[in-house]
Amino acid sequence: MPDHAPSREQQIARTFVALADTLVPDFDIAETLSVLVDRVVELLSVSAAAVMLVAADGTLEVMASSSHSAELLELFAAQTEAGPCVDCIRSAAPVTCTDIQDQGHRWPPFAAAAQECGFRAVHAVPMRLRDQTLGVLTLLGTEPGALSDDDGQLGQALADVVTIAILQHRAIEHSERVAGRLQIALDTRIVLEQAKGILAERGVMSPDEAFSRLRDYARSRRRRLTDLARAVIAGTAELDTILTSATDSAQR
């Protein structure tokens, strides 16, 4: 039978289309960032990815991750305010560590945490537009090595698309509501984490797998991810249906 798997060029085009779909009034930052981290792992030579944004009060918040290990590492970086991702936000420039074991002396605690989480390479890509830096897209590898030029450029381009989407929606908002918009996003993350925990306990599975089931169910039913998560917390969602729902890889 002929191989109908999409080519890399088709995957890239579909990713940009998926991210462009966020440029609508009904903007869901949690869904957008989830798409971003999932797609960069699919398209680039990396093992995991995460997004950290700067909150209104200047604190760093982990907003999305492709795996539990990536989330733990980024949370550690945010709490200690050290690591390639933090340096990237401060400098508004890419920061690369091709081998954390040999180059980790720049961030000793982060280097130890990265190796404990199973990562050897870190590539931090700024989410910025001109003089505004919103956060960082962190690309993680389990093996040492640098990103290819093509992967580096594609990673930056995807980060730029999401940055523009966030800034556009901020610009539409009244100036007094800009900070509140990001706070809503932070609150959304808490809702998703609670729903993920409920599903993980119910299905006796990892938090990563529980989130994947939640996200796939929301997409297949064309429901907002955050609305479904709230239904899970409120007890009005069919948990077993969500947990047993088959993943349609063609929709990814």
Side-chain angles (χ1 to χ4, degrees), residues 125-214:
V125 178
M127 297 179 66
R128 69 167 189 267
L129 182 65
R130 301 184 184 90
D131 60 345
Q132 289 186 280
T133 301
L134 301 186
V136 58
L137 168 64
T138 303
L139 309 174
L140 301 162
T142 55
E143 298 294 334
L147 286 179
S148 68
D149 290 341
D150 286 346
D151 277 2
Q153 292 172 8
L154 179 56
Q156 184 66 72
L158 294 172
D160 289 345
V161 169
V162 174
T163 300
I164 291 170
I166 295 173
L167 288 175
Q168 174 173 320
H169 283 271
R170 282 185 172 185
I172 293 173
E173 298 288 340
H174 189 275
S175 59
E176 293 181 353
R177 299 181 60 190
V178 170
R181 187 72 173 181
L182 183 54
Q183 186 59 52
I184 291 173
L186 299 178
D187 294 341
T188 295
R189 178 179 177 273
I190 294 174
V191 170
L192 293 177
E193 289 297 318
Q194 291 177 342
K196 184 166 66 175
I198 292 171
L199 289 172
E201 182 177 1
R202 178 63 171 263
V204 192
M205 61 181 61
S206 70
D208 290 343
E209 179 62 22
F211 180 74
S212 178
R213 302 287 179 91
L214 180 72

